[in-house]
Amino acid sequence: MAKIRRLMLPEQPQSIDPLHLAKNKEHIEGFLSLDSLGRLDEILLDNGGQVQYSLSFDFDASGICLIESKIGAKLSVKCQRCLDSMGIEIKKSSILGVYRNFDEFKKLKNDYEPFQLDEELIVVKTLIEEEVVLAIPLAPMHADKNCVKGMAAKALKKTKKRNPFSILKKLKNDKV
Ligand SMILES: [Zn+2]
């Protein structure tokens, strides 16, 4: 087993060189505040809080640089059924297979998530942001009854404004 050196930096690194870190089998971990992740602005109802992350670097047997990424966060998103806020907890672990060209891409195993390295350095924030976005369900919905109650209340309000049943009735009558 390779010995894992832990880098507990008081200041989190902004950018990292994955190949260099993989050579030394480095491990970094830390927190990023949700309000620093711009892509989450439209998804979150409340951007207070943090994402916890850890990144471990290594090479596989065929020389592919791997980043084992783990993220976790508590988020407040909009329920897609009743449109009220709901709290979700996300967790995601993935193995990113870093590739710089087609030859390396071909060596990636199926369980790696392909990660293209355009430049020498990776911006930590961008990587973590991408992982968080992927971990958020596409259509989050409350599992409890309150969700349906909220929806019923909203439907009632709509009915008062524009009665959808009169349209249905009309359609039905037209058919006859
Ligand atoms: Zn709901």
Side-chain angles (χ1 to χ4, degrees), residues 15-69:
S15 329
I16 49 171
D17 175 349
L19 301 176
H20 178 75
L21 293 176
K23 251 177 235 166
N24 298 321
K25 301 189 191 305
E26 299 278 12
H27 175 90
I28 58 175
E29 56 187 49
F31 293 90
L32 282 171
S33 61
L34 292 174
D35 62 7
S36 71
L37 306 178
R39 278 180 64 196
L40 299 181
D41 270 356
E42 286 177 15
I43 304 171
L44 300 185
L45 292 180
D46 178 0
N47 63 2
Q50 291 179 314
V51 188
Q52 185 176 14
Y53 71 85
S54 79
L55 302 170
S56 301
F57 302 82
D58 205 347
F59 287 105
D60 73 2
S62 62
I64 291 295
C65 171
L66 301 180
I67 307 174
E68 195 184 337
S69 145

Side-chain angles (χ1 to χ4, degrees), residues 79 81-84 141-142 147:
C79 166
R81 188 157 49 192
C82 72
L83 305 180
D84 271 337
M141 285 181 203
H142 288 120
C147 177

